[in-house]
Amino acid sequence: MLSDVTTPQDLDDRFRETLAALPAAPQRRDLADPVTDDAPLTGAQLLDLFDAQVASRQLDLAGRWLRSFGEGFYTIGSSGHEGNAAVAAALRPTDPALLHYRSGAFYCVRAAQVAAAVPASAADTPTPAVDDPEPAAEAPESASDAEPAGSATPTGGFGGYAEAARDVLRGMVASSEEPIAGGRHKVFGRADLAVVPTTSTIASHLPRAVGMGLAVERLRRLDTAGRRTGTGVRVGSGAGAAHVPWPPDAIVVCSFGDASVNHASATAAFNTAGWYDHAGLRIPVLFVCEDNGLGISVRSPEGWVEATLRAKPGIRYFSADGADPLRAYTVAREAAAWVRRYRRPAVLHLRTVRLMGHAGADAESAYRSPAELAEDLDRDPVVATARLLVEAGVATADELLAWYDETGWQVRRLAEEVLGEPKLASAADVVSALAPRRPVRVARAVADAAARASGPGAGAREEAFGGKPPELVGPMTLAQSINAALADGLLDHPQMAVFGEDVAAKGGVYGVTKGLRDRFGAARVFDTLLDETSVLGLGLGAGLAGMLPVPEIQYLAYLHNAEDQLRGEAATMQFFSRGAFRNPMVVRVAGLAYQEGFGGHFHNDNSVAVLRDVPGLVVAVPARPDDAAPMLRTCLASAAVDGSVCVFLEPIALYHTRDLYADGDGEWLAGYPEPGSWVAGHVPIGRARVYRVGSADDLTIITFGNGVRMSLRAAAVLAEEGVGTRVVDLRWLAPLPVADIIRESSATGRVLVVDETRRSGGVGEGVIAALVDGGYVGAARRVAGVDSFVPLGPAARHVLVSPEAITDGARTLLAR
Ligand SMILES: Cc1ncc(C[n+]2csc(CCOP(=O)(O)OP(=O)(O)O)c2C)c(N)n1
């Protein structure tokens, strides 16, 4: 009897009752024959899809069972969505997939495909969609119309799914042996399956999928000289070479729910895919919307999902009912073939139901009627596949039920096995995968880059700089130095690309990227559309595909509306994949205040709190031109070597600053180091710079960014009063140079923290905390920005740290 909540028992009972009542077919059908006369699948292939669906269903039931005695920690399941098995079967196992948490059957099929290493099938025949429109662009010649693909070919019963089931169960019990996240989260992911883990944040993986599509296509086009290795492709040579993990004609697939369609990240991704398509760029992404009509308890208004998905410019719409496996397979195959052939984005709208609620603790009765729940049960896709198999004479109901029970038994046996496996045992275990740091290798990479720049790459370098390398140009500003270092980076890393709003044609709002497009071409230096979520998403996907992305966020204030792409996506990739996947990137951000006479808060934003607490993120703030170039080199090397995600926060107000103490002194300019001195001038992550003024014995000022220049000026005033100061430029806000902070503070016993960010949540809080934690026992004070947004015009001075506040703070400290 159905209760007003669909329980695992209800689902199981209904399955048995329905199957038991199915009339037997008059005769058996040969497994090698199509299921019906015009079916795209043989009996064996459909049986195999059924097996994957049953495995997924039994995993959901096992998840609830594990939870019931406190051994399982995750009950969001795929029940009702098992139609997605047909989508997996329509793709190649080498197509990178970013999966919704309800794509369990997809995952099972993919794992079985790879386990069986199926050689060939009908799954990917080149036929374009039946109602294929005229292609708007050339169909790429190498779209491998006759390539083999994974399929629903039988994989040998549950054995084909045992590995997938074990993976999923390990995720549920948070086993440290889970293959991708190692117990850090329950995700679908495995590098050998080309399944990239996604987070639980709705739709946040979609901008990345678009970025992957862009990168896959771009690298396919670069792969002109047949430089393939294995299933992937190697592009470039030397240290900058990228191993692209997917074949050149791969397409990217990402799945998500119907409510997710409305999320800003999703709309950003659809828009960006459409925008590029409109502009003639190819993005081979298949969006799969698994539409169960609900987002937890909120209904998608009738017809809305179809209306909105159909209306996405540049994205071709396909739809199918997940409870009709043959049709779902046919349409998924058409959609995949269309994307693969034309390298253009499409969306597959897969109608599903949701069985057993949103998750284990969800009491559906609060918002759904018993009649509605019963209707969903009638559309159970696993029952639908079983019905088809029985009606076609492929199997009897008894055989399917026996198989269902056998699978259930095997899944629970595996569950019992894995629940005894070790969990992550310590904080060190948990963070071990977060963000590897190998400073010696990074230093070596910088040395190698220097050797190339002065050796084999010297000619290309000279040419790229128009015959005059930057070290011969004379003293440079911060902006010029960053520009030259970007050029050196582009020369040394063939996979590096610089992109963002206005970076190419204009060369950046402040001219920092000026001339780079002319020198390195529009494929490597390009303008993006105006959407920071997508700018970062492009970086995320490009990094994953083997590129070295250097996206620019035009102003710090505008990073905040896209911040999840950095925090939730970029910074977690190694954490949730134990380094199997990485998204190296160096995000350049123009920021901080003190732009005299320009803008208010939005162009003078001084909030970095949101970056400082992102685990593993590197945050660099170069204050001087002679730090900017080596720090940028370090960030690029660290991204290449360790997959680091770096934010390179550039103080706008210092971009074009020339003088330090007096007009015309040119003391804020610096020459660009020639490659021969890059090793000696290497700046490791987390090392500060110390300026000694006078005796340097009386006071330590700890600061960064604009504070460095103001503090040096203040130190000069104090020197006239006989006070010796050491000014410590942190250079790195994350990780903070703790050892340098403690050492330089202890040397004087008096510390003034000059923090241009806000008093609350600002950098100074971290410095003071580091002093306390490090056992510093001297005096300390802090001057910091007021807890306010920065107002327009001269009023800004009321809330920002001033040179006077620094000297006043210093005198108060010295008077103690
Ligand atoms: C950005 C974000 N906001 C809220 C949530 C909480 N949440 C988890 S699942 C969910 C509903 C998603 O519905 P849908 O996209 O239709 O997928 P379904 O669960 O129905 O398959 C919500 C709101 C989240 N995970 N991420």
Side-chain angles (χ1 to χ4, degrees):
M1 183 61 202
L2 276 181
S3 65
D4 58 357
V5 176
T6 305
T7 63
Q9 188 65 42
D10 292 333
L11 199 56
D12 190 60
D13 286 351
R14 175 60 78 99
F15 186 79
R16 292 170 190 286
E17 283 162 19
T18 316
L19 258 68
L22 289 178
Q27 62 190 54
R28 293 293 288 226
R29 183 177 294 262
D30 191 321
L31 283 184
D33 288 344
V35 182
T36 57
D37 290 346
D38 56 350
L41 296 173
T42 62
Q45 287 173 321
L46 186 63
L47 206 49
D48 212 40
L49 282 194
F50 175 75
D51 291 351
Q53 294 183 322
V54 168
S56 176
R57 176 66 54 88
Q58 291 289 4
L59 282 167
D60 285 3
L61 299 179
R64 309 279 170 135
W65 174 65
L66 286 163
R67 181 88 194 109
S68 71
F69 52 90
E71 293 278 6
F73 308 103
Y74 194 88
T75 52
I76 299 183
S78 304
S79 295
H81 284 238
E82 292 91 344
N84 54 39
V87 181
L91 292 160
R92 296 179 186 169
T94 46
D95 288 331
L98 295 89
L99 298 180
H100 187 40
Y101 45 71
R102 298 201 198 283
S103 300
F106 182 117
Y107 184 77
C108 288
V109 170
R110 174 64 66 95
Q113 285 173 334
V114 171
V118 177
S121 91
D124 191 46
T125 40
T127 39
V130 233
D131 53 342
D132 209 8
E134 278 304 297
E138 85 286 10
E141 58 312 315
S142 70
S144 108
D145 284 355
E147 286 256 337
S151 77
T153 305
T155 52
F158 183 72
Y161 302 109
E163 217 181 316
R166 192 182 282 108
D167 295 347
V168 174
L169 290 163
R170 282 176 160 158
M172 287 172 176
V173 302
S175 160
S176 62
E177 295 183 17
E178 193 272 340
I180 191 82
R184 290 169 185 82
H185 194 24
K186 153 70 180 70
V187 291
F188 292 122
R190 245 172 63 190
D192 61 323
L193 306 187
V195 177
V196 179
T198 61
T199 68
S200 289
T201 310
I202 285 305
S204 62
H205 56 301
L206 270 55
R208 182 200 289 278
V210 174
M212 286 167 72
L214 189 86
V216 163
E217 183 57 7
R218 182 194 140 89
L219 294 167
R220 185 182 73 81
R221 285 171 188 264
L222 279 181
D223 179 36
T224 49
R227 283 167 290 193
R228 288 196 204 181
T229 54
T231 54
V233 55
R234 177 165 285 275
V235 178
S237 57
H243 182 259
V244 186
W246 308 297
D249 60 349
I251 67 172
V252 179
V253 59
C254 58
S255 55
F256 48 91
D258 51 292
S260 304
V261 158
N262 306 297
H263 199 276
S265 314
T267 57
F270 296 138
N271 184 67
T272 300
W275 189 89
Y276 275 114
D277 191 69
H278 188 80
L281 251 91
R282 297 293 161 241
I283 306 225
V285 174
L286 178 62
F287 297 100
V288 179
C289 176
E290 299 187 11
D291 178 3
N292 60 29
L294 286 159
I296 304 186
S297 66
V298 180
R299 285 174 174 70
S300 289
E302 187 59 40
W304 165 249
V305 178
E306 176 170 349
T308 187
L309 291 179
R310 270 191 189 282
K312 302 291 177 208
I315 301 178
R316 192 168 152 79
Y317 177 84
F318 295 83
S319 85
D321 181 357
D324 180 347
L326 297 182
R327 183 77 193 134
Y329 177 73
T330 301
V331 176
R333 193 179 64 168
E334 284 172 7
W338 190 84
V339 174
R340 195 178 316 279
R341 179 164 187 179
Y342 299 116
R343 321 301 295 166
R344 297 179 64 188
V347 61
L348 170 59
H349 182 186
L350 188 71
R351 287 162 217 272
T352 69
V353 288
R354 192 187 74 188
L355 304 173
M356 295 198 294
H358 176 72
D362 179 22
E364 282 187 293
S365 53
Y367 57 89
R368 300 187 83 189
S369 68
E372 204 184 327
L373 297 177
E375 262 173 47
D376 270 10
L377 269 174
D378 286 343
R379 294 184 53 218
D380 182 340
V382 189
V383 170
T385 308
R387 185 177 288 121
L388 199 57
L389 287 165
V390 174
E391 282 170 1
V394 174
T396 66
D398 281 352
E399 285 168 348
L400 297 184
L401 269 174
W403 184 248
Y404 174 80
D405 282 337
E406 173 63 17
T407 304
W409 166 248
Q410 296 288 353
V411 166
R412 288 191 187 208
R413 185 181 58 77
L414 285 174
E416 280 201 57
E417 260 175 50
V418 302
L419 64 80
E421 288 178 355
K423 314 275 189 253
L424 289 162
S426 66
D429 272 2
V430 174
V431 301
S432 62
L434 186 58
R437 291 260 188 281
R438 293 174 295 183
V440 174
R441 288 191 201 195
V442 171
R444 206 181 302 142
V446 169
D448 291 346
R452 281 189 294 273
S454 54
R461 186 167 182 265
E462 179 136 347
E463 194 184 327
F465 284 110
K468 195 167 185 186
E471 56 270 22
L472 302 182
V473 169
M476 285 186 171
T477 60
L478 183 72
Q480 290 165 333
S481 172
I482 294 170
N483 179 281
L486 284 171
D488 265 324
L490 283 158
L491 279 164
D492 193 53
H493 299 273
Q495 290 315 312
M496 176 173 155
V498 172
F499 53 90
E501 297 153 17
D502 303 297
V503 301
K506 184 175 164 68
V509 173
Y510 296 93
V512 177
T513 51
K514 214 175 185 59
L516 294 180
R517 188 185 66 172
D518 295 343
R519 277 186 272 166
F520 295 96
R524 302 191 64 196
V525 181
F526 56 92
D527 288 322
T528 62
L529 74 180
L530 202 172
D531 176 43
E532 286 73 16
T533 296
S534 296
V535 171
L536 294 176
L538 292 175
L540 287 163
L544 209 56
M547 291 175 59
L548 181 53
V550 182
E552 177 186 299
I553 299 293
Q554 203 161 69
Y555 286 100
L556 178 58
Y558 308 133
L559 176 67
H560 300 315
N561 61 34
E563 200 258 327
D564 178 57
Q565 292 295 306
L566 210 48
R567 169 188 300 268
E569 290 292 314
T572 61
M573 182 45 79
Q574 298 208 59
F575 187 69
F576 289 138
S577 71
R578 289 195 285 182
F581 293 103
R582 22 183 266 173
N583 36 219
M585 80 169 109
V586 180
V587 186
R588 293 183 41 251
V589 184
L592 301 174
Y594 298 98
Q595 284 197 79
E596 294 287 325
F598 177 66
H601 161 71
F602 302 99
H603 302 96
N604 289 276
D605 189 5
N606 57 355
S607 171
V608 297
V610 82
L611 297 175
R612 281 188 52 234
D613 85 330
V614 179
L617 193 72
V618 173
V619 183
V621 184
R624 285 185 49 87
D626 45 353
D627 279 325
M631 287 170 72
L632 185 56
R633 255 193 301 279
T634 299
C635 287
L636 291 172
S638 180
V641 169
D642 286 330
S644 306
V645 180
C646 306
V647 170
F648 199 74
L649 180 58
E650 301 166 4
I652 301 171
L654 297 175
Y655 269 152
H656 306 304
T657 297
R658 307 179 73 83
D659 306 324
L660 171 55
Y661 300 113
D663 285 354
D665 68 11
E667 296 263 349
W668 206 255
L669 302 173
Y672 189 86
E674 46 95 22
S677 62
W678 290 0
V679 170
H682 173 58
V683 177
I685 289 174
R687 289 309 308 267
R689 176 172 181 173
V690 183
Y691 300 84
R692 301 171 65 93
V693 182
S695 71
D697 283 344
D698 303 312
L699 173 70
T700 302
I701 295 181
I702 298 182
T703 187
F704 64 96
N706 293 288
V708 178
R709 184 166 175 270
M710 288 189 290
S711 298
L712 286 172
R713 288 165 70 106
V717 172
L718 293 168
E720 281 168 19
E721 298 166 17
V723 176
T725 306
R726 52 188 73 198
V727 176
V728 179
D729 176 2
L730 294 168
R731 297 197 290 200
W732 308 92
L733 304 188
L736 275 174
V738 174
D740 297 334
I741 290 172
I742 307 290
R743 186 190 63 249
E744 296 301 322
S745 301
S746 304
T748 65
R750 289 191 200 89
V751 177
L752 182 68
V753 180
V754 174
D755 175 13
E756 65 179 291
T757 62
R758 299 184 195 145
R759 178 159 291 274
S760 302
V763 176
E765 286 184 353
V767 175
I768 298 286
L771 285 169
V772 172
D773 291 348
Y776 170 75
V777 288
R781 270 185 81 81
R782 186 161 62 115
V783 286
V786 171
D787 288 346
S788 164
F789 302 103
V790 178
L792 195 63
R797 295 189 194 130
H798 298 306
V799 300
L800 297 177
V801 170
S802 64
E804 297 71 42
I806 299 173
T807 35
D808 287 352
R811 287 181 188 125
T812 309
L813 251 186
L814 291 160
R816 278 194 183 170

